[in-house]
Every structure is written in structure tokens, then in C-alpha cells.
């Protein structure tokens, strides 16, 4: 499996989190579609099948992530 560069993963995470806030505030279809696109890209980039697992996997690939860090599991 190809591994996405950490800078790409960081950007995707930031986009997804920003869109999640917009979706909560506005709920518009365009934001939902963009979120779905980014979620798909994150899943493919991390070899996962759902966005929650993809976000955790992507965050663990960022510089400074610790293997034992379970703080990402808390919402």
C-alpha cells in the first residue's frame, strides 16, 4: 500500500475538521459532499474503511505522534 505523506494527511485532517464544523452549523449539501470526498480520501490513504479509524490512523502518522497515545480515541 502506498503511504500518504504526513503533510498531505495533516491537510486532509484539517479540511475534514473544518468541514465538520461547517456541516454542524449549516448542514448544506455541498459541505456534506466535500466531507464525503475527504473521508474517502483519508480512508484510502490510511487503508481503513471508516472515517473514525482513518482519522486515528492519519493522526498516528503525523510527526510527534506516540504509539501509546490513546487521547485520539476520546471525542
Amino acid at each position: 500500500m502506498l503511504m500518504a505523506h504526513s503533510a498531505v494527511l495533516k491537510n486532509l485532517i484539517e479540511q475534514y475538521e473544518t468541514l465538520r464544523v461547517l456541516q454542524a452549523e449549516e448542514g448544506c449539501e455541498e459541505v456534506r459532499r466535500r466531507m464525503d470526498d475527504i473521508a474517502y480520501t483519508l480512508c484510502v490513504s490510511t487503508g481503513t474503511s471508516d472515517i473514525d479509524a482513518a482519522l486515528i490512523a492519519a493522526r498516528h502518522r503525523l510527526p510527534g505522534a506516540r504509539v501509546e497515545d490513546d487521547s485520539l480515541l476520546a471525542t
Side-chain angles (χ1 to χ4, degrees):
M1 176 174 90
L2 292 174
M3 300 288 256
H5 191 277
S6 60
V8 172
L9 292 174
K10 183 175 188 268
N11 181 274
L12 288 169
I13 292 167
E14 289 171 357
Q15 286 185 60
Y16 187 82
E17 290 173 346
T18 300
L19 289 168
R20 187 172 13 200
V21 171
L22 285 173
Q23 177 66 15
E25 292 175 357
E26 299 175 14
C28 80
E29 186 60 29
E30 183 180 343
V31 171
R32 181 78 237 160
R33 278 195 303 268
R34 185 68 184 134
M35 279 181 70
D36 289 344
D37 289 345
I38 292 174
Y40 175 80
T41 303
L42 276 166
C43 287
V44 169
S45 299
T46 58
T48 57
S49 59
D50 69 80
I51 186 59
D52 293 325
L55 288 168
I56 291 168
R59 286 182 179 121
H60 277 288
R61 291 190 193 161
L62 297 179
R66 298 179 312 206
V67 176
E68 299 85 19
D69 187 0
D70 65 351
S71 64
L72 300 174
L73 300 175
T75 55

